[in-house]
């Protein structure tokens, strides 16, 4: 935590630290789950119900459910809290459709590939929040910023045109 911060938001700090391994694991499961059935054909894409894509979908829905109270506890504006809560509820609803019907896990995992850019964003926030102000820290922030830009372009813009 930087010494110049007037007040610490412990919940936001803990969320950042927790999110790094969680988003890396979710990104791994999404990529692996998508790759497992990529060539399996449309029936497996729509009616398949197993593997890493299922694990991703369950983890994603659970993480969004856990993240709702975390969002409400953070020191953020009411508008931010309302929008993020709506985002989490919508995400849970979409993933739960596949979970309750026991199908479409491929599409959940394919959608989850975009979380790779979230991992880069969280890493950037961690570097800015907990990193120093020296040249190495600035270089890491710059490298991660470029990584964020590239992953956002590839895994959000190009993947879902």
């Amino acid at each position: 935590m930087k010494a110049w911060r007037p007040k610490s938001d412990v919940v936001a700090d803990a969320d950042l630290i927790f999110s790094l391994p969680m988003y890396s694991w979710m990104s791994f499961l999404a990529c692996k789950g998508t790759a497992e059935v990529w060539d399996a054909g449309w029936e497996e894409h729509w009616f398949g119900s197993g593997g890493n894509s299922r694990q991703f979908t369950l983890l994603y829905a659970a993480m969004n459910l856990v993240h709702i109270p975390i969002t409400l506890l953070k020191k953020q504006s009411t508008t931010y809290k309302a929008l993020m809560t709506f985002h989490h509820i919508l995400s849970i609803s979409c993933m739960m459709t596949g979970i309750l019907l026991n199908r479409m896990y491929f599409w959940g995992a394919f959608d989850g590939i975009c979380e790779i850019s979230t991992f880069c964003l969280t890493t950037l926030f961690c570097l800015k929040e907990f990193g120093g102000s020296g040249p190495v820290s600035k270089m890491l922030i710059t490298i991660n910023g470029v990584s964020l830009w590239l992953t956002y372009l590839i895994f959000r813009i190009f993947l879902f045109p």
Side-chain angles (χ1 to χ4, degrees), residues 31-42 44-45 106-107 110 113 159:
C31 291
K32 193 162 172 32
T34 300
E36 282 176 346
V37 293
W38 183 260
D39 293 325
W42 69 271
E44 184 66 26
H45 292 176
F106 167 80
W107 298 111
F110 185 63
I113 291 174
L159 192 61

Side-chain angles (χ1 to χ4, degrees), residues 20 116-128 136-152:
L20 276 176
I116 293 171
S117 64
T118 307
F119 173 76
C120 292
L121 179 64
T122 303
T123 303
L124 184 63
F125 285 155
C126 281
L127 288 170
K128 286 185 171 186
V136 173
S137 182
K138 288 180 181 179
M139 180 184 68
L140 289 173
I141 288 171
T142 301
I143 291 169
N144 194 263
V146 171
S147 298
L148 172 61
W149 186 84
L150 289 172
T151 57
Y152 191 87

Side-chain angles (χ1 to χ4, degrees), residues 12-90:
D13 292 347
D15 184 38
L16 278 177
I17 294 167
F18 172 77
S19 293
L20 276 176
M22 186 57 70
Y23 281 117
S24 63
W25 183 243
M26 284 186 1
S27 298
F28 171 77
L29 286 175
C31 291
K32 193 162 172 32
T34 300
E36 282 176 346
V37 293
W38 183 260
D39 293 325
W42 69 271
E43 288 178 342
E44 184 66 26
H45 292 176
W46 288 97
F47 301 109
S49 62
N52 288 296
S53 56
R54 183 175 189 276
Q55 295 302 315
F56 166 79
T57 305
L58 290 167
L59 181 61
Y60 185 84
M63 184 166 172
N64 275 277
L65 183 63
V66 168
H67 211 255
I68 290 173
I70 292 171
T71 299
L72 298 174
L73 291 171
K74 285 182 180 180
K75 295 177 183 174
Q76 296 284 346
S77 70
T78 305
T79 304
Y80 170 85
K81 290 178 181 183
L83 290 173
M84 287 307 293
T85 301
F86 176 73
H87 160 76
H88 292 312
I89 291 170
L90 184 62

